[in-house]
Amino acid sequence: MATGDQSKKRKQHYRPQNRPVKKKGAYPLKPGVQGFFISCDGGREYQASQEAINVIDSFFEELMNGTDTKVKPGLFDNPINKKVTFSYSEDDDEDEEEAEGNNDKEEEENKGDEEKKEVTEGGDNQVNEKELASEGSCEVKQLVETETGKDKEDEEKPKNGVDEPPRKKACLEEAIPLAKVNENAEKSIDKLIEAELKELGDKSKRRFMKLDPGCNGLVFIQMKRRDGDPSPKDIAQHAMTSAAATKKHMSRFILRLLPIEVSCYPSEEEISRAIKPLVEQYFPVETSNPRKFAVLYGARANTGLDRMKIINTIAKSIPAPHKVDLSNPEMSIVVEIVKTVCLIGVVEKYKELGKYNLRQLTSTN
């Protein structure tokens, strides 16, 4: 007993101001959040959460900007092969020999042309006196013109000699506004980068944030919706349809990605109260197109609940025109219970889209 008391005292002694150290890492999953419930490879929760944030953010931007990422068919079917030649290859030797032969021919032709010119100028390599005289007169004229031009320039220059020529002034005047524009653009870019960094540093302004569900192989990404943002259901459905269409590999550790729009405590009263906004949105009473639905139930780290009671409470909350169809449902209500939190979401084409499994949709087998 004495040894145990001593160890406790030592542990308390090393804590700052005798207070327990705060837990580092993601915030725990609590009721009242919405986002994405993700299953991943065991032991790879951190990597899967980083991948999930990047994937969800990319599809969110596509929905906001109205752009779709589509891969052209047959783009990577025929790889582009290029012929590589080295300096010591036979082709280069042949090219060098051909180039040397052409150079020899050109030198011989030039020599013949020079001999013809010498003969036409006069016998025995002599030049006519008239040509020399004309050349001399041209040189004298050029010298006179250059001297007169220098005198005029000296007269036009100011006495101080400080002012620059007009051409340089014009260039500088044009360059000054361009430099100002570039400086303003750089300042605006720097301000935008600083604002983005501040938003990333402030956790309250992040749109997607990781929460810790407390179970191995599970990740939850919280989404803080703003006015005009698409719902988690729209983002998840867009991600699955694009993955099924392009077969593009998006992540390494993510398995299933399910949208969650409501979360509460796992009791019959709380579930029936929390599911009302979803029922009004996706299963209206007055409709000419009744939908077939099914309830998908899953529980982790919680064995004290009755599965059929939870399913019946959800099925009873759906109004009469809509019917249950387990074989071919149009809408599926996802219910995932993790410890003491119940997560509820609605998905379309659950079976057609590979049960919202990214790895299954992007696999080529």
Side-chain angles (χ1 to χ4, degrees), residues 25-41 44-54 56 206-225 232-233 236 253-264 300 334-339 341-346:
Y27 292 106
L29 178 62
K30 293 181 179 180
V33 297
Q34 63 177 353
F36 302 90
F37 180 75
I38 298 163
S39 61
C40 63
D41 296 332
R44 298 288 186 176
E45 290 83 9
Y46 177 78
Q47 293 88 341
S49 63
Q50 298 299 319
E51 285 184 352
I53 290 171
N54 294 331
I56 294 166
R206 293 182 187 177
R207 182 174 275 107
F208 302 106
M209 192 171 64
K210 178 180 70 172
L211 299 180
D212 185 15
C215 295
N216 292 331
L218 296 179
V219 174
F220 189 86
I221 304 299
Q222 181 185 5
M223 179 181 178
K224 295 182 179 180
R225 289 185 67 184
K233 173 185 172 295
F253 305 107
I254 297 173
L255 296 176
R256 187 169 292 168
L257 191 147
L258 297 172
I260 302 299
E261 299 188 32
V262 171
S263 59
C264 61
R300 293 171 176 83
V334 179
V335 180
E336 292 288 344
I337 295 171
V338 182
K339 288 189 173 181
V341 182
C342 178
L343 307 172
I344 304 171
V346 179

Side-chain angles (χ1 to χ4, degrees), residues 65-101:
N65 299 327
T67 57
D68 293 336
T69 54
K70 293 183 180 179
V71 179
K72 294 181 180 179
L75 183 62
F76 303 106
D77 294 341
N78 299 322
I80 300 170
N81 295 325
K82 294 183 179 180
K83 185 179 179 181
V84 180
T85 56
F86 299 94
S87 59
Y88 52 82
S89 62
E90 295 179 357
D91 296 336
D92 290 343
D93 295 337
E94 291 176 359
D95 294 337
E96 289 176 358
E97 289 177 359
E98 290 178 358
E100 289 177 357

Side-chain angles (χ1 to χ4, degrees), residues 270-285:
E270 291 289 332
I271 289 171
S272 60
R273 189 184 306 160
I275 203 173
K276 284 182 180 179
L278 292 181
V279 173
E280 293 176 358
Q281 183 178 359
Y282 299 108
F283 303 98
V285 179

Side-chain angles (χ1 to χ4, degrees), residues 12 43 60 64 75 88 94 117 129 153 167-168 184 196 249 263 328 352:
Q12 289 176 359
F60 171 80
M64 292 295 290
L75 183 62
Y88 52 82
E94 291 176 359
K117 287 180 182 179
E129 293 179 357
E153 288 177 358
R167 289 182 182 177
K168 289 185 179 179
N184 293 330
E196 288 182 1
H249 186 69
S263 59
N328 189 18
E352 289 82 358

Side-chain angles (χ1 to χ4, degrees), residues 225-236:
R225 289 185 67 184
R226 301 169 188 171
D227 294 337
D229 289 351
S231 64
K233 173 185 172 295
D234 297 333
I235 297 171

